[in-house]
Amino acid sequence: MRNAIGTKRAVGLLLALAMLALLLPAAGAEETAVATEHKWWQDTIVYQVYPQSYQDTDGNGYGDLKGLNEHLDYLASLGVGAIWLTPVMVSPMVDNGYDVADYTDIDPRYGTMEDMEQLIADAADRDIRIVMDLVLNHTSDQHAWFLESASGRDNDKSDWYIWRDPKPDGSAPNNWRAIFGGSAWVWCEARGQYYLHTFAPQQPDLNWENPEVRQAVYDVANFWLDKGAGGFRIDAITYIKKPADFSDGEPDGADGMVGIHAMTANTEGILDFLREFKENTVAGRDVFTVGEANGVQASELPDWVGENGVFDMLFEFSHVDIGNGTAHTWSDPAPWTLTDLKAAFAASQQATKDNGWYPVFLENHDQPRSINHFLPDAEDPVMAAKLLGTLLITMRGTPFIFEGQELGYTNVAWDDISLYNDLNTYAQYLFAMEEGFTEEEAMEGVHRFSRDNARTPMQWDDGENASFTDGTPWLPVNDNYTEVNVATEAADPDSVLSWYRTLSGLRASSQVLLYGDYTELFPESEEIFAYRRQTEDGEMVILLNFTNGAVSYDAAAVEGLEPLLSNYGDAEAGALRPLEAVIWH
Ligand code: NOJ
């Protein structure tokens, strides 16, 4: 399909570029005082790198910091002003770096502290800042803090983690189930107590009630700020405050347990901790923070990111969770419609309208690829990728591109569970089997939601292993790499990559896209996602056809406007072709 309509698309792109050329001088001339009120991180695009999968330079099959450094010009060409680097600190890699054993050193898998300093400096030369991923809810069970805490009840760190006595019968203190499956408690012989882990057993939760723990995590943040980090993405932050009540919850599964998320996420008092974090670390520095906040509702955003909020931006999950419903297993997804997706975006846009700022994202290292997630029936993945890219880059907020998204990556579907790497994929598979789903249903869930969908190596060209590594890649490269790769797409003006570059240039030079208000159009439509972006001086209307068929809309929505950019190259008022994405101005 890609080749069949490639020529038409190339012509279309010429038209689009011509339209863009018309716009750019006008937009550039629009420089107003508004721009100066904005922070650098509101005007830029953030790109998330999963370093393990980006570029290997030493042939061990794992990406490294030197490899990422080699591609800074590529990222600059996408208009990226900040790279969110998932954790590269010393780690046993049970959860690929989200189990930190030393916060102030680089894991040898990724290189050295010199490589990190070089990366920060070389990125700065290109006006790109490196944003570190801080994992502060838990450490690795190999961290020196935990080893000391677990050595007995009488040591300096004895109260640094969440320790509880067993129930009278010796069993775990309560029936909470960890996010990665099984009881959230692990028995420690040396203390005669259990410790709590929200995620894997090797990820014990820190005790934020202890002021020494809080000071220690502030020291970690300040260490990286002093190294020149441009800010932080802060992991799993909604779990740091535990409730006073540790009693059993109502079971939600055949195992008699209740998911810990329901018991501990976003507990009252959490914002006090986070205010203190802000005051002791980022306050007064020209950096940004984005919290990962599963469990915070869009309506609560103003408390978190408003003028007096604790972060600059917050990832809340209502739009990516739409397929999950209330189900506790990947094998029982909830049906959803386009209006559900639009309502999720509308709520977060509304909540950050006058106060705070929104990080727009459709993918990250924990999510399926967005084409499979949001357009699972799309007949043309290239058009689908362009449509979703348009949504990502034209919505109000700072766009976060996840590596490969700019190339139109899609999910993988390996036959056998043993081919997967991600621990949560195994946990979900086992849980589905325990809940009585068949092997086939369990694997369907894995194919749909496995985090490995996002983690396959970067596809740089059509050479062996997509030139990600000279060795054996830690996770197989997606079979589509001969077509979907940077070199091929960079040479094709009609590729997904070229589309992203065009959109990125458009956003950077458009006051309307950077600062304009957001108003949803046709909110009831199950076919079209549409919105208006508007400043006092200008207006754009973005129309996205989420179906494989032709659809129509009330042309009054674009009256007086001209088509600016379309993934078909031209546009007709009132009509949209399959998976058409069009911007009117
Ligand atoms: C969220 C991270 O994005 C995910 O990859 C990780 O497994 C958990 N937090 C635990 O740190």
Side-chain angles (χ1 to χ4, degrees):
M1 176 164 290
R2 178 176 276 218
N3 289 338
I5 54 175
T7 315
K8 178 172 147 248
R9 287 197 189 133
V11 173
L13 191 89
L14 288 179
L15 289 173
L17 290 177
M19 291 191 282
L20 191 56
L22 282 178
L23 171 88
L24 293 183
E30 256 180 54
E31 284 305 322
T32 67
V34 186
T36 56
E37 289 163 21
H38 272 246
K39 304 273 194 342
W40 65 270
W41 45 266
Q42 292 176 290
D43 289 356
T44 199
I45 288 179
V46 183
Y47 184 96
Q48 184 191 350
V49 169
Y50 199 67
Q52 184 156 330
S53 298
Y54 212 62
Q55 178 71 70
D56 177 22
T57 57
D58 57 12
N60 67 358
Y62 296 94
D64 45 51
L65 294 174
K66 281 193 172 130
L68 168 56
N69 200 328
E70 286 178 3
H71 294 293
L72 290 174
D73 287 332
Y74 168 69
L75 296 174
S77 79
L78 265 171
V80 166
I83 297 170
W84 153 22
L85 199 55
T86 61
V88 290
M89 295 103 176
V90 175
S91 167
M93 301 288 170
V94 170
D95 189 17
N96 291 348
Y98 284 94
D99 45 326
V100 178
D102 181 350
Y103 286 104
T104 55
D105 209 353
I106 300 296
D107 194 274
R109 174 181 288 185
Y110 296 122
T112 63
M113 189 56 88
E114 286 77 56
D115 296 340
M116 188 71 216
E117 288 163 354
Q118 194 65 50
L119 178 68
I120 292 173
D122 291 349
D125 288 345
R126 292 160 177 85
D127 218 9
I128 297 175
R129 293 170 224 213
I130 303 293
V131 170
M132 302 300 283
D133 201 324
L134 284 186
V135 188
L136 304 177
N137 174 67
H138 47 270
T139 67
S140 159
D141 63 351
Q142 300 306 305
H143 196 295
W145 300 342
F146 184 75
L147 295 175
E148 185 175 345
S149 193
S151 65
R153 296 196 193 197
D154 183 22
N155 61 67
D156 287 348
K157 307 240 173 337
S158 65
D159 189 33
W160 278 43
Y161 292 82
I162 315 278
W163 296 102
R164 288 288 186 281
D165 293 334
K167 281 183 176 167
D169 66 357
S171 63
N174 61 34
N175 69 342
W176 298 352
R177 182 192 311 108
I179 288 178
F180 294 155
S183 168
W185 296 95
V186 172
W187 174 250
C188 171
E189 198 61 47
R191 292 185 59 128
Q193 282 184 311
Y194 284 86
Y195 70 83
L196 182 74
H197 60 93
T198 298
F199 294 92
Q202 299 89 340
Q203 294 170 298
D205 281 35
L206 283 163
N207 176 17
W208 274 66
E209 301 294 338
N210 182 335
E212 287 176 23
V213 170
R214 300 206 297 275
Q215 186 56 52
V217 304
Y218 306 156
D219 291 347
V220 167
N222 286 321
F223 172 87
W224 287 106
L225 291 170
D226 293 345
K227 283 257 173 239
F232 300 118
R233 177 266 189 184
I234 304 178
D235 186 65
I237 202 61
T238 33
Y239 301 109
I240 59 171
K241 175 87 184 175
K242 309 298 188 255
D245 183 4
F246 268 51
S247 42
D248 280 0
E250 187 66 34
D252 63 16
D255 57 6
M257 290 192 259
V258 56
I260 191 169
H261 176 86
M263 308 308 287
T264 65
N266 198 7
T267 293
E268 181 79 38
I270 189 170
L271 291 172
D272 297 334
F273 284 162
L274 293 172
R275 254 176 236 118
E276 192 185 278
F277 173 84
K278 180 178 170 180
E279 276 155 30
N280 284 277
T281 59
V282 291
R285 307 221 202 196
D286 187 21
V287 299
F288 77 82
T289 51
V290 54
E292 189 209 21
N294 209 346
V296 173
Q297 306 305 316
S299 57
E300 298 171 278
L301 280 172
D303 291 338
W304 287 75
V305 298
E307 209 162 307
N308 302 314
V310 291
F311 295 122
D312 295 308
M313 296 180 271
L314 207 70
F315 291 128
E316 56 92 17
F317 287 83
S318 51
H319 64 293
V320 287
D321 280 348
I322 49 165
N324 301 353
T326 52
H328 298 286
T329 141
W330 289 350
S331 296
D332 189 18
W336 60 273
T337 62
L338 183 60
T339 48
D340 297 330
L341 180 65
K342 296 196 296 186
F345 274 112
S348 39
Q349 286 292 327
Q350 179 61 29
T352 50
K353 189 168 173 281
D354 304 313
N355 200 7
W357 193 246
Y358 183 65
V360 193
F361 77 103
L362 299 174
E363 295 188 12
N364 66 32
H365 64 291
D366 296 329
Q367 298 291 330
R369 290 294 179 175
S370 53
I371 299 175
N372 303 81
H373 199 165
F374 300 112
L375 284 165
D377 302 321
E379 285 167 8
D380 183 338
V382 173
M383 293 300 256
K386 290 180 178 177
L387 178 146
L388 292 169
T390 310
L391 175 67
L392 179 74
I393 294 184
T394 64
M395 185 149 292
R396 184 169 186 274
T398 297
F400 280 65
I401 299 175
F402 178 65
E403 62 178 49
Q405 188 175 359
E406 77 280 16
L407 302 169
Y409 275 21
T410 47
N411 283 354
V412 288
W414 299 320
D415 301 341
D416 195 302
I417 187 68
S418 68
L419 298 171
Y420 284 79
N421 170 278
D422 168 37
L423 82 169
N424 194 30
T425 300
Y426 283 90
Q428 283 285 341
Y429 171 84
L430 290 175
F431 189 60
M433 302 293 274
E434 261 172 44
E435 292 283 301
F437 291 93
T438 63
E439 157 82 20
E440 200 187 336
E441 288 164 337
M443 285 309 290
E444 270 171 26
V446 165
H447 293 163
R448 199 179 296 119
F449 288 119
S450 171
R451 306 194 299 177
D452 285 339
N453 284 313
R455 299 176 180 185
T456 58
M458 264 303 268
Q459 297 164 198
W460 294 105
D461 59 33
D462 60 3
E464 198 176 347
N465 292 319
S467 294
F468 159 69
T469 180
D470 292 337
T472 306
W474 72 278
L475 198 64
V477 174
N478 192 318
D479 289 340
N480 65 12
Y481 75 96
T482 49
E483 242 191 297
V484 179
N485 64 66
V486 173
T488 304
E489 296 197 29
D492 175 4
D494 205 19
S495 65
V496 177
L497 177 60
S498 298
W499 182 254
Y500 266 80
R501 286 179 169 155
T502 302
L503 285 172
S504 161
L506 176 61
R507 178 179 183 274
S509 58
S510 163
Q511 302 286 306
V512 171
L513 290 182
L514 289 173
Y515 317 125
D517 291 346
Y518 173 94
T519 312
E520 194 183 347
L521 305 174
F522 317 127
E524 309 297 326
S525 171
E526 292 292 1
E527 298 166 328
I528 302 173
F529 195 152
Y531 42 93
R532 174 178 295 115
R533 301 292 316 278
Q534 194 161 24
T535 63
E536 279 180 9
D537 304 324
E539 166 181 7
M540 288 191 193
V541 169
I542 292 97
L543 294 138
L544 311 166
N545 176 4
F546 267 67
T547 76
N548 290 313
V551 296
S552 60
Y553 63 92
D554 181 355
V558 296
E559 205 177 302
L561 302 180
E562 294 293 326
L564 172 65
L565 199 60
S566 157
N567 57 354
Y568 279 83
D570 55 9
E572 187 191 326
L576 290 168
R577 288 156 286 187
L579 297 170
E580 182 163 2
V582 57
I583 304 175
W584 292 74
H585 80 130

